[in-house]
């Protein structure tokens, strides 16, 4: 990947992360999902994740410590987080091995599922006595999916909503969980030789524009109906997912 500041790819990266940060600032989540989905139209998911990883970790660490729920979140979600790390590490070759080209298809399908769940407002419920063992299963599934696609929202986020986390606690829980998952992914990328000096400049541009987008999104959130924005955001993800899966399937079978 070229590190030249005149490289048009860097302009695309800046625009992608400005938008992804804007989404996160407005609705409190979505940076890796949006960034991975858009960058996957230009590069393999593994290369996209190498750029996404540092901005995702930094913004999620910030989100982790904004709120008073950290101790309770760790106490309730530790099986989910540990199992997710195990799933990510056990699937270390999925994004870079012989089946890597199917990662874009899976990513597209996940975006579609994520958008449909959000738009339909399907709600699940998990009893308190069952949340730890179910969390472990959900974590393993999430980890393997994340190892293949770089996205950690399915099925982890519906699970967190199912155990009763809402609003500020859910936002902080997502920060804690995504920090854990992205750090685990960083080990996979390092082992594959993808997290190196060649992504330093793209990663720096991504981080700066992501924070700029978050600031703009937070400004808009104070003035705009966040629910309306969320609905259009999910519709856009649905269309992006269909496009990614369809385009890659056409290449594979073409």
């Amino acid at each position: 990947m070229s590190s030249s500041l005149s490289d048009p790819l860097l302009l695309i990266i800046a625009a992608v992360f400005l938008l992804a940060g804007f989404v996160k600032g407005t609705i409190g989540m979505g940076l890796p999902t949006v960034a991975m989905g858009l960058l996957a139209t230009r590069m393999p998911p593994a290369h996209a994740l190498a750029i996404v990883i540092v901005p995702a970790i930094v913004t999620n660490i910030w989100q982790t410590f904004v709120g008073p729920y950290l101790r309770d979140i760790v106490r309730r979600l530790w099986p989910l987080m540990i199992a997710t790390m195990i799933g990510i590490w056990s699937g270390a070759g999925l994004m870079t091995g012989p089946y890597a080209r199917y990662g874009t298809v899976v990513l597209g399908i996940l975006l579609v599922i994520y958008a449909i769940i959000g738009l339909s407002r399907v709600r699940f419920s998990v009893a308190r006595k069952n949340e730890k063992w179910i969390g472990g299963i959900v974590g393993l599934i999430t980890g393997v999916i994340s190892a293949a696609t770089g996205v950690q929202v399915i099925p982890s986020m519906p699970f967190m909503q199912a155990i009763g986390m809402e609003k500020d606690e859910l936002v902080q829980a997502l920060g804690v969980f995504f920090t854990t998952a992205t750090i685990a992914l960083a080990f996979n990328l390092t082992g594959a030789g993808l997290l190196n000096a060649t992504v330093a400049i793209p990663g720096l541009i991504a981080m700066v524009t992501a924070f700029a987008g978050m600031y703009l999104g937070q400004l808009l959130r104070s003035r705009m109906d966040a629910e309306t924005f969320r609905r259009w955001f999910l519709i856009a993800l649905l269309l992006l997912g269909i496009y990614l899966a369809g385009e890659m399937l056409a290449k594979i079978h073409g």
Side-chain angles (χ1 to χ4, degrees):
M1 182 181 298
S2 171
S3 60
S4 170
L5 289 175
S6 63
D7 192 333
L9 184 58
L10 295 184
L11 296 177
I12 294 172
I13 290 168
V16 164
F17 279 89
L18 187 66
L19 176 60
F22 177 77
V23 170
K24 186 176 179 69
T26 305
I27 64 175
M29 59 175 293
L31 188 148
T33 307
V34 173
M36 285 295 297
L38 291 174
L39 289 179
T41 65
R42 297 284 178 172
M43 62 186 73
H47 293 161
L49 182 60
I51 298 170
V52 170
I53 201 85
V54 172
I57 289 173
V58 172
T59 55
N60 283 320
I61 286 175
W62 172 81
Q63 192 170 320
T64 291
F65 294 101
V66 177
Y69 306 103
L70 182 58
R71 181 177 296 180
D72 186 56
I73 288 167
V74 172
R75 183 175 58 83
R76 296 182 69 186
L77 295 186
W78 67 263
L80 173 72
M81 293 189 288
I82 290 176
T84 297
M85 289 191 292
I86 292 171
I88 287 172
W89 290 333
S90 66
L94 291 176
M95 198 178 286
T96 56
Y99 300 104
R101 61 180 180 168
Y102 294 102
T104 303
V105 178
V106 175
L107 176 57
I109 293 170
L110 283 179
L111 293 181
V112 170
I113 293 171
Y114 174 66
I116 290 173
I117 290 174
L119 289 168
S120 64
R121 294 194 170 279
V122 173
R123 295 300 298 263
F124 306 96
S125 180
V126 173
R128 190 84 175 217
K129 64 180 181 179
N130 297 325
E131 65 182 41
K132 285 187 167 55
W133 71 264
I134 292 177
I137 295 171
V138 168
L140 282 173
I141 297 170
T142 301
V144 173
I145 290 173
S146 182
T149 67
V151 173
Q152 305 107 30
V153 294
I154 299 292
S156 61
M157 198 184 77
F159 169 77
M160 281 184 256
Q161 292 173 314
I163 65 174
M165 291 185 166
E166 294 184 357
K167 296 183 179 178
D168 294 340
E169 184 181 18
L170 178 61
V171 170
Q172 189 174 5
L174 290 170
V176 176
F177 174 71
F178 290 153
T179 298
T180 303
T182 48
I183 289 173
L185 282 170
F187 281 96
N188 282 9
L189 290 175
T190 302
L194 291 171
L195 201 59
N196 51 48
T198 63
V199 298
I201 290 178
L204 178 62
I205 291 172
M207 189 156 56
V208 171
T209 53
F211 273 106
M214 283 178 65
Y215 174 74
L216 294 174
Q218 287 166 351
L219 287 179
L220 181 66
R221 183 166 58 183
S222 65
R223 302 182 182 184
M224 174 188 173
D225 177 13
E227 186 57 33
T228 300
F229 181 88
R230 176 183 170 277
R231 184 168 61 253
W232 285 107
F233 160 66
L234 289 169
I235 291 171
L237 277 190
L238 177 67
L239 296 174
L240 176 61
I242 293 170
Y243 170 77
L244 281 175
E247 181 188 46
M248 185 51 65
L249 282 172
K251 288 181 180 178
I252 291 173
H253 296 293

